């Protein structure tokens, strides 16, 4: 069966059913297949650290987030830096509040910009969702709800 004969499912982060349906219809028109959508208004916190020499500070910051939100976290390395996913779905208002708080903290404590990519945070807020690529994964660690590293490879 050719791909355009199947139903392709994708997830879209939006608060508007109209936007989601319009996106699906546009993809159908351009790609020639049928697209089903799953609307989500929940997000993960995703952070990016491009400075590999800041891994210890970045890890400590991420461990603190795991403790604060009582959630596990996943950190991984790629050729371009380190990346973190807080494994807790957040409502859009709570997610947006976190990213706004983070930008404010970066203004007040400039050393945070050494460990967190401001451009990524700003782009997340501008788009209304966060993304990170999981390509060329090299190694990773898991952090539990108390901030303890529980698995490292």
């Amino acid at each position: 069966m050719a791909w355009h004969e199947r139903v392709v499912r994708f997830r879209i982060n939006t608060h508007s059913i109209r936007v989601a349906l319009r996106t699906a219809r546009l993809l159908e028109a351009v790609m020639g297949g049928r697209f089903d959508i799953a609307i989500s208004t929940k997000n993960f916190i995703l952070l990016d650290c491009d400075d590999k020499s800041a891994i210890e500070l970045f890890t400590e910051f991420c461990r603190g987030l795991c403790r604060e939100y009582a959630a596990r976290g996943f950190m991984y390395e790629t050729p371009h830096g380190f990346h973190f996913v807080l494994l807790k779905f957040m409502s859009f208002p709570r997610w947006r509040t976190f990213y706004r708080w983070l930008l404010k903290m970066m203004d007040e404590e400039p050393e945070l910009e050494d460990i967190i990519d401001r451009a990524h945070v700003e782009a997340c807020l501008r788009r209304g969702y966060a993304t990170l690529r999981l390509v060329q994964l090299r190694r990773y660690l898991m952090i539990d709800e108390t901030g303890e590293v529980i698995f490292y490879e």
Side-chain angles (χ1 to χ4, degrees):
M1 177 184 300
W3 82 267
H4 63 276
E5 296 169 334
R6 295 180 298 201
V7 175
V8 177
R9 291 190 164 83
F10 69 97
R11 178 177 169 258
I12 183 169
N13 272 5
T14 182
H15 299 288
S16 168
I17 187 75
R18 245 181 32 222
V19 168
L21 290 172
R22 196 173 344 158
T23 302
R25 299 308 156 245
L26 177 64
L27 286 170
E28 288 173 354
V30 172
M31 305 293 288
R34 180 160 168 252
F35 288 79
D36 280 354
I37 56 171
I39 297 175
S40 173
T41 58
K42 301 227 181 245
N43 292 281
F44 286 130
I45 289 175
L46 309 175
L47 299 176
D48 196 23
C49 174
D50 292 332
D51 182 358
K52 287 196 170 194
S53 68
I55 181 59
E56 289 181 22
L57 293 171
F58 187 62
T59 301
E60 283 306 307
F61 184 83
C62 296
R63 289 177 68 196
L65 289 178
C66 290
R67 284 190 298 272
E68 179 69 26
Y69 288 96
R72 288 183 174 205
F74 174 69
M75 184 182 298
Y76 62 96
E77 178 186 10
T78 66
H80 307 290
F82 293 94
H83 315 282
F84 176 73
V85 180
L86 184 69
L87 298 173
K88 181 175 187 141
F89 273 121
M90 292 190 176
S91 67
F92 180 73
R94 188 171 183 201
W95 175 89
R96 183 179 54 207
T97 298
F98 169 80
Y99 277 95
R100 285 178 175 167
W101 168 84
L102 185 55
L103 281 179
K104 183 178 177 192
M105 291 302 296
M106 292 172 91
D107 289 339
E108 293 174 6
E109 299 180 33
E111 63 272 7
L112 273 177
E113 289 201 46
D114 295 337
I115 61 171
I116 296 171
D117 182 2
R118 176 183 278 277
H120 179 258
V121 173
E122 290 171 342
C124 292
L125 276 169
R126 205 172 35 255
R127 289 186 306 245
Y129 61 89
T131 60
L132 291 174
R133 293 186 198 134
L134 285 168
V135 295
Q136 297 179 322
L137 183 70
R138 292 189 173 170
R139 60 186 171 146
Y140 58 92
L141 59 88
M142 291 292 296
I143 304 169
D144 73 10
E145 300 85 350
T146 66
E148 294 301 314
V149 174
I150 55 173
F151 180 78
Y152 177 82
E153 181 164 310

